[in-house]
Amino acid sequence: MSQVSDPTSTERHRLPVRTLVAASIGNAIEWFDWTIYATFAVYFSSQFFDKSSPTLALIGTTSTYALAFFFRPLGGILLGRLADIRGRRWAMLVTILLMAGGSFVIAVLPTYQAVGWLAPILLLLARIAQGLSLGGEVSNASAYLAEIAPASHRGRYSSFFYISTGIALLAASVLGLVLTTTLSRPELESWGWRIAFLVGGVLGLVGMWLRRALAETEQFEENRERAKAVRNPLMLTLREHPKAVLQLFGFTLLSTLCFYTFFSALTPYAVQFRDAAGGEVFLALSIGTIVFIALQYPMGYAADRYGRRPQLLIWSALMTVITVPLSLLITERPPLINLIIVFTVGLGLYTFMSSIAPAIMSELFPTELRALGIGAWYNLTVALFGGTAPLLISALSSADRPQLFFWYVSGGALVAFLIILTLPETKGRQLT
């Protein structure tokens, strides 16, 4: 599998779709599992915590969800280093095994009534494994996609990463809709929620089967010994590539705020604080997600043709000026059309960045530091700004100051814009 290509070649390039799907499916399964946890937490919280206080049980379950975020940087460091010295393929098999294993464990865990406080402890351990897995998956799959791509097609190859994410989010939402409409609440609380985690585990096994045949990247093989010779790789990223770390922080700051604002934070905000109809919010988010999926490949193509930097500058500039006005459409009991505009515009703009995320992150670091460099600094930024977004919008809304959250996102966009100005153009550039 060639990793280099003449950017000026007119020969039609045939995408290795099966390879791209196999490389991207881990990310899809990761987000499927994370989404079903958030979706079904209200139903299984009393299974793992004392049901005499439903509120405290839900707080315990959501706190477990939040704690897993802070294991993502550790997963990025450990599994990223593993990918840099043992190989991308091997590390990607480990990440998908951790995620699938975590799902199967949660699906069969004994309840609080059966084993007492051992139940939430086991739940936390399963979520920690999944947090470590997600931290490693993003960096390792990003490095793999970038390294197998011809230089002139790296944006298009990268677009498969978030195509898989969008499909997974839609699938998790559909599964939630099916189970909540076909099972009664007592059935969901006693055993129905376990079905979702079993599905996640089975999907993980499918992903492992697809990945088993992936070839290692030539880029890794050529730099294997250099990677093994590296000492203190995390400090090396700061000492020799501080500008790359800052640039990764800058566009990841806005990227993670966009992701968690539109995929996580806006839904409870619209329902709880703006009295929006839950079904209409779900419909609008689904429409926005379909737009998000559909635009990935065209935006990846555009970045290969016109460049990464102009695309990122347009995205961050528009998010700076449009975020607050867009939020004003979420009025008290907002009409469906307002919700559709918010989600489609927000997620449509996000594709300017998400479509090329693996490419631009991989182009920042040399091969011997690529997976660890992305894994450590990307996941730390996500933990600090992404994991806190739903909590922050809820807290500010409770204090009757929800607009401050959208000004916060707009400020993050401005920071990203200024940092992106320092990015060199890497369209068609060979990886080092």
Side-chain angles (χ1 to χ4, degrees), residues 131-425:
L132 292 170
S133 172
L134 185 55
E137 175 66 26
V138 172
S139 55
N140 299 340
S142 292
Y144 188 88
L145 285 169
E147 289 175 3
I148 66 171
S152 59
H153 286 68
R154 197 174 296 130
R156 277 163 275 195
Y157 276 53
S158 294
S159 68
F160 277 77
F161 193 78
Y162 274 97
I163 289 175
S164 70
T165 301
I167 292 172
L169 293 170
L170 265 184
S173 297
V174 169
L175 179 62
L177 181 63
V178 169
L179 290 178
T180 54
T181 53
T182 57
L183 299 177
S184 66
R185 179 150 188 139
E187 289 173 330
L188 281 169
E189 292 178 347
S190 62
W191 57 269
W193 60 270
R194 294 183 186 271
I195 295 174
F197 288 98
L198 283 172
V199 171
V202 170
L203 289 175
L205 295 180
V206 172
M208 289 187 66
W209 181 80
L210 287 173
R211 281 185 169 179
R212 83 197 190 288
L214 285 177
E216 189 52 79
T217 72
E218 293 176 17
Q219 191 80 21
F220 165 76
E221 295 289 5
E222 292 169 1
N223 290 273
R224 181 194 292 266
E225 296 307 317
R226 286 174 59 190
K228 288 181 178 179
V230 169
R231 296 292 178 264
N232 300 316
L234 187 62
M235 291 305 300
L236 194 63
T237 61
L238 287 172
R239 188 169 64 249
E240 295 193 4
H241 306 279
K243 190 173 182 179
V245 172
L246 176 64
Q247 290 165 339
L248 178 61
F249 166 82
F251 57 69
T252 301
L253 162 66
L254 179 55
S255 174
T256 193
L257 283 177
C258 284
F259 186 97
Y260 287 99
T261 295
F262 292 102
F263 280 120
S264 298
L266 277 186
T267 299
Y269 166 71
V271 173
Q272 295 176 11
F273 299 102
R274 287 294 181 261
D275 201 25
E280 291 189 349
V281 174
F282 170 78
L283 176 60
L285 176 57
S286 298
I287 293 171
T289 304
I290 291 170
V291 171
F292 177 78
I293 296 168
L295 288 178
Q296 294 299 325
Y297 188 81
M299 295 310 300
Y301 173 86
D304 281 335
R305 182 165 186 178
Y306 302 110
R308 285 81 158 106
R309 194 167 176 268
Q311 197 160 299
L312 294 177
L313 287 172
I314 292 170
W315 163 64
S316 54
L318 287 176
M319 289 303 299
T320 300
V321 300
I322 205 173
T323 299
V324 173
L326 201 62
S327 71
L328 296 177
L329 292 176
I330 310 177
T331 58
E332 189 70 22
R333 296 182 181 177
L336 175 60
I337 186 61
N338 284 26
L339 295 170
I340 291 174
I341 291 171
V342 169
F343 283 109
T344 54
V345 171
L347 290 174
L349 284 176
Y350 182 37
T351 64
F352 279 61
M353 189 277 171
S354 63
S355 60
I356 55 172
I360 58 175
M361 291 192 295
S362 296
E363 289 161 354
L364 290 174
F365 297 100
T367 301
E368 67 271 17
L369 292 172
R370 182 165 294 126
L372 181 137
I374 297 171
W377 304 115
Y378 168 86
N379 283 293
L380 180 61
T381 309
V382 170
L384 291 174
F385 296 97
T388 56
L391 175 63
L392 185 59
I393 193 172
S394 295
L396 290 172
S397 299
S398 296
D400 201 27
R401 304 293 296 274
Q403 286 307 115
L404 289 180
F405 175 80
F406 300 104
W407 281 105
Y408 165 71
V409 175
S410 182
L414 179 59
V415 171
F417 178 83
L418 295 174
I419 292 177
I420 290 168
L421 284 173
T422 70
L423 273 175
E425 181 52 65

Side-chain angles (χ1 to χ4, degrees), residues 29-86:
I29 294 164
E30 306 273 8
W31 281 109
F32 178 88
D33 286 341
W34 278 66
T35 304
I36 60 173
Y37 186 99
T39 301
F40 288 95
V42 68
Y43 300 111
F44 66 75
S45 58
S46 61
Q47 299 292 305
F48 296 113
F49 293 88
D50 188 352
K51 65 171 60 178
S52 64
S53 176
T55 301
L56 289 178
L58 184 59
I59 289 173
T61 305
T62 53
S63 296
T64 301
Y65 177 84
L67 281 171
F69 267 93
F70 290 92
F71 283 88
R72 286 184 58 168
L74 180 60
I77 293 170
L78 296 177
L79 295 171
R81 180 58 176 162
L82 184 69
D84 284 337
I85 62 175
R86 290 290 301 273

Side-chain angles (χ1 to χ4, degrees), residues 86-126:
R86 290 290 301 273
R88 314 316 193 197
R89 173 186 172 275
W90 203 87
M92 288 196 298
L93 286 171
V94 173
T95 60
I96 205 166
L97 176 63
L98 283 172
M99 182 58 69
S103 287
F104 277 127
V105 167
I106 294 173
V108 301
L109 276 181
T111 64
Y112 180 87
Q113 287 67 39
V115 296
W117 283 102
L118 182 61
I121 291 172
L122 292 174
L123 176 66
L124 178 60
L125 291 175

